[in-house]
Amino acid sequence: MVTGAGRGIGAGVAEALSREGYAVALTSRSRDQLEETAARCHGPTLVLPADMTGPGAVDLLLEQVERAWAAPEVVVANAGAGVSASVERTTDEQWQQMLDLNLTAPFRLLRRTIPAMKRAGHGRIVVIASVAAKLGEPYISAYTASKHGVLGLVRSAAAELARTGVTVNAVCPGYVDTPMTEATVQGIVDKTGRTPQEARAALEAKQPIKRLITVEEVVEAVLTCVRNGGMTGQGINVDGGGLQS
């Protein structure tokens, strides 16, 4: 099961898991985007549009997957969003939006999927976090707080499940060449008057490799988490060397 599977990293992960031989349940808010992802997959798919922050949404999604197939063996919690504002200009609504989508939704997903994985004696959970899970940057306090929180969730869950055959890891990308980063570029343009090219160059310059990370590079890290049963509780940086930990 892959959340946020309509585009960007989620779509790339879904397609890669399909190539690995998995039947893949796809969810995001846009049916059209999910259908496009499903068309690029090599094997069986379920298209399940949903808002992960909705009341009971996670339970409903898992019930649909279990009725159609079985409890998921691999769960990739990718759905997420960002917001930019200084601390004093961050509204309660923005703060809550970041916590609901980036932290509470993954928590509910783990809580719902862990019992079946424990019974099976095998499972792989991967949360797409961010380098913001480890580092504070200006103007993204709500986003950073939610990502710090979700990395803590991953580490605690991994410690609990270490002897069960279930692994829990996070992948922590830097700036990735995705629609979410394009929205960041547009935000910089709107607030600073820079050109899109200048704004994009500023993001590229934050990473030692001086370019954006590709979706494929993030997908490879996710696949490593799926394949390697000896790796759990990790926050794997895919950021061009910006955080050396």
Side-chain angles (χ1 to χ4, degrees), residues 2 30 39 46 57 75 79 97 111 125 130 149 171 203 238 242:
V2 182
S30 170
L46 284 178
V75 170
Q97 179 190 25
R111 183 176 62 184
I125 298 171
S130 166
V171 173
L203 298 183
V238 186

Side-chain angles (χ1 to χ4, degrees), residues 184-199:
T184 301
V185 167
Q186 188 58 50
I188 294 170
V189 170
D190 294 341
K191 291 177 181 179
T192 69
R194 298 183 191 180
T195 67
Q197 293 76 18
E198 290 169 337

Side-chain angles (χ1 to χ4, degrees), residues 221-244:
V222 173
L223 292 179
T224 297
C225 295
V226 172
R227 294 166 178 157
N228 193 333
M231 187 170 66
T232 192
Q234 303 305 304
I236 301 170
N237 302 334
V238 186
D239 69 339
L243 282 176
Q244 297 182 352

